[in-house]
Amino acid sequence: RKEVEQDPGPFNVPEGATVAFNCTYSNSASQSFFWYRQDCRKEPKLLMSVYSSGNEDGRFTAQLNRASQYISLLIRDSKLSDSATYLCVVNRPDSSYKLIFGSGTRLLVRP
Amino acid sequence: GAVVSQHPSRVICKSGTSVKIECRSLDFQATTMFWYRQFPKQSLMLMATSNEGSKATYEQGVEKDKFLINHASLTLSTLTVTSAHPEDSSFYICSAVVRSGSANYGYTFGSGTRLTVV
């Protein structure tokens, strides 16, 4: 089983749609959770950290369910510029600084 | 904000040659730098962790004699791919831990190096 699993997609949605991505992680001892965005052939960029109580940043909402070891990202009112690959990232329990990246979910927002 | 400058952005080399990739922290001191490799449509895989002034620690399955890491100063870490082969062709990215205060930290990534070995 992969340490961080994501549906690779692609999710193909029209502008204005709401789309949700899910992610599961295998090690219950992980403490830090993130969503990163990666554009083609570019470095990943932090979209948002994920907190236990859930958090929102504009059109983006992240949720964490520790009991199910499940993380989600909701994007409302999709824009063309949201087209990218979204990476679910958790820390390695043996080292708080080391990160484990999911292979990403690809989003395509069409006009 | 904290910036890591990574060079070169793209390199093509012949099999058997060595390639050096540099990551410089421009406005902060990077005591810890992570080196990742990403194959197409796959996740970033951690290769090694470099710490200023000490030997790098390598992840399981990563050959330390093939991927030489040097972190001789607080602003520069280098990865040298020695005797490169076509299967080493990949996207290599560095990432530095950025600390703000005693408990808060984040990560900043270099822009990546696309290595093609022919």
Side-chain angles (χ1 to χ4, degrees):
Chain A
R1 183 185 172 187
K2 288 183 181 177
E3 292 177 283
V4 178
E5 291 209 62
Q6 295 181 252
D7 180 344
F11 285 64
N12 192 321
V13 303
E15 267 188 293
T18 296
V19 62
F21 305 138
N22 302 321
C23 165
T24 56
Y25 60 97
S26 61
N27 197 316
S28 59
S30 291
Q31 293 294 324
S32 302
F33 309 92
F34 312 91
W35 283 102
Y36 276 76
R37 170 197 168 123
Q38 186 175 26
D39 293 288
C40 189
R41 297 174 178 261
K42 300 282 188 181
E43 76 277 20
K45 295 189 175 172
L46 180 65
L47 182 64
M48 58 198 303
S49 300
V50 186
Y51 303 116
S52 296
S53 54
N55 47 301
E56 187 175 306
D57 183 0
R59 297 181 293 109
F60 301 86
T61 301
Q63 297 277 356
L64 168 65
N65 184 321
R66 285 186 186 272
S68 302
Q69 293 175 209
Y70 171 96
I71 307 163
S72 66
L73 176 68
L74 183 76
I75 304 177
R76 290 181 299 277
D77 188 23
S78 299
K79 312 291 184 191
L80 295 177
S81 57
D82 293 335
S83 297
T85 297
Y86 290 83
L87 308 175
C88 177
V89 184
V90 307
N91 78 295
R92 271 183 36 178
D94 62 332
S95 165
S96 59
Y97 291 139
K98 291 186 179 179
L99 299 177
I100 306 168
F101 286 78
S103 53
T105 299
R106 193 165 170 223
L107 172 65
L108 301 172
V109 182
R110 63 182 187 270
Chain B
V3 175
V4 169
S5 175
Q6 183 170 348
H7 293 281
S9 58
R10 187 172 300 194
V11 59
I12 301 173
C13 71
K14 291 184 178 179
S15 283
T17 61
S18 295
V19 173
K20 181 187 280 189
I21 302 169
E22 291 189 351
C23 279
R24 292 182 184 273
S25 57
L26 299 186
D27 48 3
F28 69 102
Q29 294 182 334
T31 53
T32 303
M33 191 79 78
F34 298 108
W35 286 93
Y36 295 89
R37 178 168 54 182
Q38 185 179 32
F39 292 107
K41 298 188 179 181
Q42 295 188 23
S43 57
L44 274 74
M45 296 299 295
L46 181 64
M47 298 175 66
T49 304
S50 76
N51 295 291
E52 186 269 336
S54 62
K55 287 185 178 180
T57 56
Y58 290 80
E59 297 300 306
Q60 194 171 16
V62 179
E63 300 175 57
K64 62 180 180 181
D65 294 330
K66 180 170 180 62
F67 298 99
L68 301 179
I69 290 173
N70 186 287
H71 196 150
S73 78
L74 287 170
T75 59
L76 176 64
S77 177
T78 62
L79 167 67
T80 301
V81 183
T82 62
S83 187
H85 288 104
E87 57 265 32
D88 297 325
S89 299
S90 188
F91 190 52
Y92 293 85
I93 311 177
C94 61
S95 174
V97 177
V98 182
R99 295 178 178 83
S100 55
S102 59
N104 295 324
Y105 66 94
Y107 303 86
T108 185
F109 286 80
S111 54
T113 297
R114 189 159 301 281
L115 171 64
T116 303
V117 184
V118 297

